[in-house]
Amino acid sequence: MAIELKMPALSPTMEEGTLAKWLVKEGDAVKSGDILAEIETDKATMEFEAVDEGIIAKIVIPEGTDGVKVGAVIALIAGEGESAVTVQAAAPAPKVEAPAPKAAEPAPQPVAAPAPRAAVADPDIPAGTEIVKTTVREALRDAMAEEMRADDRVFVMGEEVAQYQGAYKVTQGLLEEFGDRRVIDTPITEYGFAGIGTGAAMGGLKPIVEFMTFNFAMQAIDHIINSAAKTNYMSGGQMRCPVVFRGPNGAASRVGAQHSQNYGPWYAAVPGLIVIAPYSAADAKGLLKAAIRSPDPVVFLENELLYGQSFDVPKLDDHVLPIGKARIARAGRDVTLVSYSIGVGVALEAADKLADEGVDAEVIDLRTLRPLDKETVLKSLAKTNRMVVVEEGWPVCSISSEIIAIAMQEGFDDLDAPVLRVTNKDVPLPYAANLEKAALIKADDVVAAVKRVRYR
Amino acid sequence: MLELYRQMLLIRRFEEKAGQLYGFGMIGGFCHLYIGQEAVAVGLQSAMRVGKDSVITGYRDHGHMLAYGIDPKVIMAELTGRAAGISRGKGGSMHMFSVDHGFYGGHGIVGAQVGLGTGLAFKHKYADDGGVCLTYFGDGAANQGQVYESFNMAELWKLPVIFVIENNQYAMGTSVNRASAEDQLYRRGESFRIPGIQVDGMDVLAVRGAAEEARQWVLSGKGPILLELKTYRYRGHSMSDPAKYRSREEVQAVRDKSDAIEHLKQELEAAGVTEDELKALEKEIRQIVQEAADFAEQAPEPELAELYTDVLVGQY
């Protein structure tokens, strides 16, 4: 049977082209790889190669023809044992075919995203459990040490994590306990070691990759997003990537613009990542343990200013908290303050001030930024009908933007006032003490915003 | 030798068919063909142990999958975006994986696979499993900074990784010497004390020999090794590349004088394989490729519900 040569699509967007030149004529023998013709697309002139072997029996579309649709028969090749003459006789009259119609597509049906699971509550802490004052720094270290004891696949790598005991002392003591096989100092080479950590996770290990700060993870963001977050999806669920990227995030103190940025909104925008940003030591511990156990890539955003703060941490053998669940840090009925990370401290301070004025504020600590616990936020809004989002970060395209959108879309009927947000000023963070202070969120700004949503 | 020939021929015919299906609009997006470079993947991977060692490459990955014996049907069905594709139609030409074979993709960011491959080698050493990682990248990727970050740590930690530069002479449209201050790419590891070997990538037996040598080197605990495979791609960088940066004569000259498949065919004939046997093999391969194409054409597209699967593994 004759083989039909059809007008090829030579780019992702091509629909028709010009058959500029035939480089073979009827009667020529051709084999795979021979160049048959030159075809002009809207972008370029491309060579059209033979795939099959045989004799060119008939050139259906002469050279110089414009507007040849993709899929139109342009020539016929006689196959083995066929004479070119018989094929010619059987050749269809030259015509320019429309591209083969696509199979009738069913009317597009909206595909509903899977319903979120009902949020899991924090496990109850048994009565009588000893409560220990612990810094966030120690809580994070304890979480890593406990998980490393439990699972040999867990290791930690990063700059100064081993011999130096951690640039911020978060990995203190780990080298001594676990040795240099599992606590690994890297050169200053974020892109490189983020790639190695991600690759090791693809191979089945459970790396904890520490960035000295998340500002430096900008060098490595390609691996966090393109390699870690997308691979499970792109591989149809074959290739897991259970890596934890952790380190301090957000403004520290007087370290200037390049060392002071909140990347929460950046990472929370990416499907395929889990993003956690805890405030208290108990949450830091319980959520870092959950992050290390998660089969998914996790970005774990800490805060340098919180490292030294002490919180109550229950003394349990295995304090693990659910990812994707917000915590009500302070119950109240008049207004909802939504925040995460260091912003929770600001919101709690504001709530105390508001209490002095007789306003009972509820404070929600999101804890996980992706997946976001909308349910807890909306439930609180339904109770208080007023909301202020508090975020130590820029306002534009932020977590507060997202919370406000959720309130509009899913909580509109519960709103008695527009949701307001208190964020850092929309500028790179300045060095001068007074300017830095002016740029960062403060409890007084939150109090003022609450007064506005209460029309007072 | 016949098996190496068979694999190279399968890749050639598969890629020709893929190019054709692209022309029919059956394959979309970016599609980078391996035609001309077959001896590299076939020669190197013939020295690896499937399942024990790992392999990772960039986006020109069809040949590497076929060289590992992965079913042409599921590869072609991925190219046409079907549910039966190896990535369930969600990866496409550039993103194919087979964890069962130790084939870790299929990566679209130039050079990213070098860090990842070094990480896979880290895993082999950490787990002490006796495996090595074969990490491919091109002459274009060889100029990416993360390649050298990876070289540094690979040597520092003596990781069992074979770095392979597939030097097909052109990074898209830019020739090696227009982009590389040191165009002898096998020397790119020198300042990290990584030894380099330049190999004729158009000679599958030479490639195989180099792979065995390299594997022994890294398994003996001496750290990484760098192979530069001099090869050539006959087609454009991707399907939409008119390849005007080189002459038709240049391409034709390589095809006529250096084609790896023709070269091995002559050796097989000299060794007494008859023309009939070779013809039968050609026919068998065309049959396999046609079946793969038919399968890829007829298999259904993914269910719409697949849109939301595999984003995360855990339930939160």
Side-chain angles (χ1 to χ4, degrees):
Chain A
M1 216 185 86
I3 299 158
E4 291 182 338
L5 289 181
K6 291 180 180 167
M7 184 70 170
L10 295 170
S11 79
T13 50
M14 174 176 167
E15 287 176 6
E16 60 175 41
T18 300
L19 211 166
K21 192 173 174 190
W22 279 106
L23 298 171
V24 292
K25 55 186 187 307
E26 290 176 4
D28 283 359
V30 294
K31 60 179 196 322
S32 310
D34 286 352
I35 297 159
L36 302 177
E38 283 181 358
I39 289 168
E40 275 176 31
T41 70
D42 50 346
K43 296 192 194 89
T45 302
M46 307 279 291
E47 289 167 349
F48 177 42
E49 282 187 14
V51 173
D52 301 294
E53 297 189 4
I55 310 282
I56 298 288
K58 172 89 187 157
I59 286 180
V60 179
I61 305 275
E63 64 182 29
T65 308
D66 288 333
V68 183
K69 299 274 188 230
V70 168
V73 175
I74 57 174
L76 297 170
I77 291 183
E80 218 174 330
E82 240 178 342
S83 92
V85 181
T86 52
V87 170
Q88 273 209 7
K95 64 172 182 193
V96 178
E97 285 175 17
K102 286 186 184 165
E105 285 175 29
Q109 287 174 346
V111 185
R117 289 198 331 161
V120 190
D122 285 13
D124 289 332
I125 294 167
T129 301
E130 189 188 342
I131 300 293
V132 184
K133 280 275 179 206
T134 311
T135 62
V136 171
R137 174 180 286 118
E138 292 160 344
L140 292 166
R141 191 266 323 276
D142 292 348
M144 286 189 279
E146 287 177 21
E147 294 307 301
M148 288 174 80
R149 276 173 216 135
D151 186 348
D152 183 65
R153 293 173 301 170
V154 181
F155 68 96
V156 57
M157 72 191 303
E159 293 155 11
E160 312 290 7
V161 298
Q163 294 192 12
Y164 194 90
Q165 304 293 323
Y168 295 100
K169 299 284 176 278
V170 176
T171 53
Q172 194 151 34
L174 295 182
L175 175 65
E176 196 186 2
E177 180 173 355
F178 299 103
D180 60 7
R181 172 173 169 267
R182 300 179 68 195
V183 185
I184 301 157
D185 278 328
T186 64
I188 302 172
T189 173
E190 281 83 7
Y191 197 6
F193 70 73
I196 290 175
T198 305
M202 289 170 174
L205 300 183
K206 307 208 78 179
I208 304 167
V209 176
E210 176 176 307
F211 293 113
M212 194 180 289
T213 82
F214 261 91
N215 302 288
F216 313 146
M218 289 281 273
Q219 302 258 5
I221 198 166
D222 171 51
H223 277 305
I224 300 173
I225 293 173
N226 273 315
S227 302
K230 296 178 183 172
T231 301
N232 189 57
Y233 193 82
M234 294 196 305
S235 68
Q238 271 191 74
M239 209 155 108
R240 306 268 192 272
C241 191
V243 58
V244 176
F245 300 103
R246 53 154 289 273
N249 172 65
S253 183
R254 308 284 312 277
V255 292
Q258 289 183 335
H259 286 72
S260 312
Q261 187 173 334
N262 173 4
Y263 291 91
W266 292 51
Y267 293 110
V270 182
L273 287 180
I274 300 284
V275 184
I276 297 171
Y279 167 64
S280 75
D283 287 350
K285 182 176 184 187
L287 287 167
L288 183 54
K289 282 168 71 78
I292 295 166
R293 290 182 196 184
S294 165
D296 293 302
V298 179
V299 170
F300 195 92
L301 302 170
E302 300 158 7
N303 188 289
E304 189 194 328
L305 300 176
L306 293 175
Y307 279 153
Q309 289 194 26
S310 292
F311 294 84
D312 290 343
V313 176
K315 192 174 178 183
L316 294 167
D317 288 341
D318 197 18
H319 174 63
V320 186
L321 292 171
I323 291 170
K325 178 79 182 95
R327 179 176 66 98
I328 296 175
R330 183 188 202 281
R333 54 174 198 280
D334 296 334
V335 63
T336 301
L337 305 179
V338 179
S339 192
Y340 62 96
S341 186
I342 197 167
V344 175
V346 177
L348 287 169
E349 187 190 336
D352 283 346
K353 291 187 175 197
L354 287 163
D356 293 342
E357 300 178 26
V359 179
D360 187 17
E362 177 147 299
V363 176
I364 294 177
D365 178 356
L366 292 170
R367 302 195 294 188
T368 302
L369 304 181
R370 172 179 273 273
L372 199 61
D373 181 3
K374 292 196 287 189
E375 197 189 347
T376 298
V377 173
L378 290 167
K379 224 166 128 183
S380 179
L381 178 63
K383 180 169 72 174
T384 66
N385 307 113
R386 294 161 206 278
M387 189 183 286
V388 173
V389 191
V390 182
E391 183 169 21
E392 193 278 279
W394 289 318
V396 179
C397 300
S398 58
I399 300 298
S400 50
S401 307
E402 186 63 24
I403 298 287
I404 291 169
I406 290 167
M408 280 289 282
Q409 280 188 311
E410 298 177 48
F412 189 76
D413 292 341
D414 291 323
L415 284 170
D416 283 350
V419 180
L420 293 185
R421 58 181 163 189
V422 175
T423 66
N424 291 353
K425 299 299 179 283
D426 198 14
V427 294
L429 202 68
Y431 168 71
N434 63 330
L435 295 181
E436 185 187 65
K437 193 170 169 225
L440 295 170
I441 54 170
K442 308 173 256 312
D444 286 344
D445 296 342
V446 180
V447 171
V450 166
K451 288 182 176 164
R452 282 181 60 202
V453 299
R454 300 185 76 242
Y455 302 111
R456 302 292 159 91
Chain B
M1 213 154 73
L2 196 61
E3 181 54 27
L4 298 179
Y5 178 75
R6 192 192 132 82
Q7 286 185 12
M8 290 199 292
L9 197 61
L10 174 64
I11 295 172
R12 175 77 50 99
R13 297 293 171 250
F14 181 96
E15 293 290 68
E16 286 168 351
K17 180 58 79 178
Q20 192 183 36
L21 293 185
Y22 192 93
F24 296 163
M26 300 285 300
I27 297 172
F30 296 124
C31 183
H32 309 84
L33 302 181
Y34 201 57
I35 297 174
Q37 302 177 217
E38 296 90 345
V40 176
V42 169
L44 290 176
Q45 285 170 231
S46 69
M48 299 294 129
R49 293 155 308 169
V50 177
K52 186 159 194 181
D53 298 324
S54 43
V55 174
I56 189 165
T57 187
Y59 42 76
R60 194 181 304 284
D61 60 353
H62 315 164
H64 305 81
M65 310 238 354
L66 292 166
Y68 242 16
I70 296 167
D71 183 0
K73 281 186 180 153
V74 298
I75 304 174
M76 198 69 96
E78 187 59 36
L79 297 184
T80 55
R82 306 307 165 111
I86 192 154
S87 300
R88 297 161 79 174
K90 288 153 85 169
S93 164
M94 299 186 286
H95 306 303
M96 296 197 270
F97 311 80
S98 176
V99 174
D100 288 346
H101 288 82
F103 184 85
Y104 289 89
H107 297 270
I109 305 299
V110 175
Q113 75 274 21
V114 182
L116 299 172
T118 308
L120 289 163
F122 179 95
K123 174 251 167 180
H124 288 307
K125 183 165 189 205
Y126 187 94
D128 195 19
D129 62 9
V132 307
C133 181
L134 188 63
T135 301
Y136 291 94
F137 53 108
D139 47 285
N143 290 324
Q144 288 276 29
Q146 67 169 311
V147 169
Y148 300 95
E149 298 187 23
S150 303
F151 279 8
N152 185 38
M153 286 178 276
E155 178 65 29
L156 195 60
W157 300 335
K158 300 280 183 226
L159 300 180
V161 54
I162 303 171
F163 293 114
V164 177
I165 302 180
E166 288 197 70
N167 180 358
N168 67 14
Q169 329 276 343
Y170 293 92
M172 200 165 149
T174 306
S175 64
V176 170
N177 39 24
R178 287 209 299 126
S180 303
E182 170 56 274
D183 64 2
Q184 297 304 301
L185 302 179
Y186 72 97
R187 302 185 58 190
R188 287 294 186 91
E190 279 177 5
S191 66
F192 303 94
R193 301 171 181 262
I194 299 176
I197 306 174
Q198 197 170 50
V199 186
D200 178 2
M202 304 301 271
D203 178 347
V204 71
L205 296 176
V207 175
R208 157 104 194 188
E212 283 171 347
E213 193 90 347
R215 212 170 146 271
Q216 272 187 340
W217 174 274
V218 301
L219 277 179
S220 69
K222 290 178 186 154
I225 194 166
L226 173 62
L227 303 180
E228 179 196 3
L229 282 293
K230 299 275 275 184
T231 182
Y232 200 81
R233 76 171 142 72
Y234 298 171
R235 294 291 189 93
H237 162 74
S238 71
M239 288 304 296
S240 38
D241 170 18
K244 289 302 170 205
Y245 41 83
R246 59 186 186 188
S247 67
R248 187 176 291 160
E249 290 69 32
E250 178 186 313
V251 182
Q252 201 54 48
V254 178
R255 281 183 181 242
D256 291 345
K257 293 189 197 126
S258 315
D259 188 76
I261 297 177
E262 276 306 312
H263 176 75
L264 191 62
K265 189 176 180 185
Q266 283 161 16
E267 296 213 358
L268 285 169
E269 280 167 346
V273 180
T274 65
E275 208 186 321
D276 281 353
E277 285 172 284
L278 292 172
K279 268 205 159 161
L281 183 62
E282 171 84 38
K283 203 171 166 189
E284 182 204 329
I285 297 238
R286 281 188 183 274
Q287 178 74 19
I288 292 170
V289 169
Q290 190 55 50
E291 281 168 12
D294 292 345
F295 177 77
E297 201 166 337
Q298 286 152 16
E301 290 188 313
E303 299 282 339
L304 280 181
E306 277 289 314
L307 188 59
Y308 290 104
T309 61
D310 307 321
V311 180
L312 293 175
V313 180
Q315 298 263 311
Y316 305 97

